[in-house]
Amino acid sequence: MSSKHEHVIVIGAGLGGLATALRLQFAGFQVTVLEKLARPGGRSNVIEEQGFRVDTGPTLLLMKDTFEETYRAVGQDLQQRLKLIQLDPHYRIYYHDGTYLDLFANMAQLAQEVERLEPGSRERLFRFLGAGAKKYELAMDFVVRNYTRITDLANPSALTRLMQTRAYENMYRQVSKYFNGSDKLAKAFTFHSMFLGLSPYDSLAMYSMITYADMALGMWFPMGGIYSVVEDMVRLGQELGFELRTNSPVQEILVESGKVSGIRLQSGEQLLSPTLICHTPTGDWLMTTTAKTTPING
Ligand SMILES: Cc1cc2nc3c(=O)[nH]c(=O)nc-3n(C[C@H](O)[C@H](O)[C@H](O)COP(=O)(O)OP(=O)(O)OC[C@H]3O[C@@H](n4cnc5c(N)ncnc54)[C@H](O)[C@@H]3O)c2cc1C
């Protein structure tokens, strides 16, 4: 993809499709985003009724830097376009014996709080978070690269970090050791794996990276809910000049002489473009210029 003003079709207007569409439009391509549903957002969606809005997907924003970077890449400042409120504390955890623990964003306060619940835990907390930072770096090392060949999986620095952090161990057992067997603190610093539907008792210690991202990088609430991010990305795309077509389910990717030539919508309409980016729940990013005809069932 080198020539400017080339037409690009993005299938799917979830956060992923929208972020890609923004970058490509900003880079000079003419982007059309096709969304099968009546509104964009995908799994980050919203129910609106009687003047109230409820996010149906994620409700809080972690790893704000990822969103900031996306906006910066298209010449914008996230904080100027959206009002993000930092939450502190992130959570209040109640235990069966009536005690509680506040997980503060402020590290000094958090240290005081764990000390209140389990005297002597302050230093253990910082050791745990330090190890979480290494796991986070390890995970990011995998996430931010492309995997186009099997050899791309060979990653010596990640292997070293994996061994150092013992991220392959059982999460709950590993975290319990940091907190000297304190059941309350181990629970407070492992429940994050449940965000991925995993029990802390069965997960890999690798998932402590979520706890780290949550505790150390901050938790934010965009005023208007997470869907306000989707709305702003759409607004920004329209300012940049992309076209978003909702109620436009793609039926088929068209191929001519072994090369992608465009798509056919369920309505029968065809849109021609040599470059497609397909992001649907059924698969990962698929940027394709040569492919077999692929029916889309999403
Ligand atoms: C309750 C809930 C809580 C969550 N909490 C978190 C969280 O805390 N942190 C986090 O990181 N993630 C969370 N997620 C996951 C997050 O919402 C998704 O990972 C993210 O929104 C996915 O975006 P996406 O663009 O990759 O895919 P999607 O949002 O699935 O977007 C794909 C889009 O493609 C469209 N599409 C599919 N087929 C076609 C077709 N044939 N033609 C045209 N369009 C098509 C779909 O309608 C959809 O809009 C949560 C999800 C849910 C449901």
Side-chain angles (χ1 to χ4, degrees):
M1 293 210 306
S2 54
S3 65
K4 299 268 167 149
H5 310 299
E6 189 182 300
H7 187 214
V8 175
I9 293 174
V10 174
I11 307 173
L15 283 173
L18 289 173
T20 307
L22 287 180
R23 285 173 190 262
L24 289 174
Q25 185 70 34
F26 187 74
F29 295 92
Q30 183 50 54
V31 181
T32 300
V33 187
L34 299 171
E35 168 55 48
K36 73 173 177 182
L37 299 178
R39 68 164 140 213
R43 279 170 281 170
S44 296
N45 228 298
V46 72
I47 294 172
E48 290 181 88
E49 241 177 72
Q50 297 172 24
F52 293 94
R53 284 158 59 106
V54 180
D55 285 315
T56 57
T59 47
L60 299 165
L61 201 142
L62 303 185
M63 294 171 66
K64 178 164 69 76
D65 56 321
T66 309
F67 287 87
E68 281 167 344
E69 196 275 327
T70 301
Y71 271 69
R72 250 195 326 273
V74 296
Q76 298 288 323
D77 180 351
L78 176 74
Q79 304 272 11
Q80 287 203 341
R81 295 187 66 99
L82 287 161
K83 191 168 179 206
L84 301 176
I85 310 287
Q86 183 166 16
L87 304 180
D88 194 11
H90 293 182
Y91 313 91
R92 170 165 287 185
I93 298 169
Y94 292 94
Y95 297 101
H96 287 296
D97 62 3
T99 57
Y100 69 88
L101 177 75
D102 283 335
L103 293 187
F104 289 107
N106 179 303
M107 283 295 144
Q109 261 182 302
L110 178 63
Q112 242 175 27
E113 185 69 354
V114 297
E115 194 69 21
R116 178 182 67 74
L117 197 73
E118 298 279 347
S121 315
R122 184 193 310 260
E123 204 190 316
R124 297 174 185 282
L125 167 74
F126 290 122
R127 251 189 278 139
F128 166 72
L129 288 175
K134 288 200 181 114
K135 292 189 182 96
Y136 184 78
E137 283 168 17
L138 171 65
M140 288 302 117
D141 204 9
F142 271 100
V143 169
V144 299
R145 47 172 81 211
N146 285 329
Y147 295 90
T148 49
R149 283 178 237 98
I150 185 80
T151 48
D152 292 335
L153 287 168
N155 185 341
S157 72
L159 187 66
T160 312
R161 282 207 188 106
L162 182 71
M163 302 313 284
Q164 279 172 350
T165 57
R166 292 178 283 119
Y168 47 82
E169 287 183 356
N170 176 281
M171 182 190 201
Y172 192 82
R173 277 201 291 277
Q174 190 182 85
V175 175
S176 295
K177 280 187 215 153
Y178 277 102
F179 293 108
N180 209 18
S182 159
D183 190 39
K184 286 181 178 172
L185 293 181
K187 282 190 170 123
F189 293 107
T190 55
F191 75 85
H192 298 80
S193 68
M194 290 193 285
F195 295 164
L196 303 178
L198 297 169
S199 158
Y201 302 112
D202 301 327
S203 330
L204 292 176
M206 182 68 214
Y207 293 109
S208 288
M209 54 92 45
I210 308 173
T211 312
Y212 170 80
D214 185 321
M215 297 314 307
L217 307 182
M219 180 184 275
W220 306 79
F221 182 74
M223 292 309 285
I226 288 281
Y227 198 71
S228 62
V229 180
V230 172
E231 288 171 328
D232 191 62
M233 287 170 89
V234 170
R235 216 168 17 244
L236 176 53
Q238 283 161 348
E239 285 161 24
L240 293 172
F242 78 22
E243 185 193 13
L244 169 64
R245 291 179 60 176
T246 50
N247 294 313
S248 301
V250 174
Q251 179 74 42
E252 190 177 7
I253 294 174
L254 303 171
V255 176
E256 266 174 38
S257 313
K259 290 197 170 180
V260 165
S261 58
I263 57 91
R264 185 181 358 260
L265 294 174
Q266 240 171 42
S267 63
E269 184 187 351
Q270 291 190 14
L271 294 178
L272 299 183
S273 167
T275 311
L276 291 182
I277 298 182
C278 173
H279 198 222
T280 70
T282 47
D284 285 332
W285 285 103
L286 170 69
M287 185 180 296
T288 172
T289 47
T290 57
K292 291 182 181 156
T293 305
T294 315
I296 296 179
N297 306 313

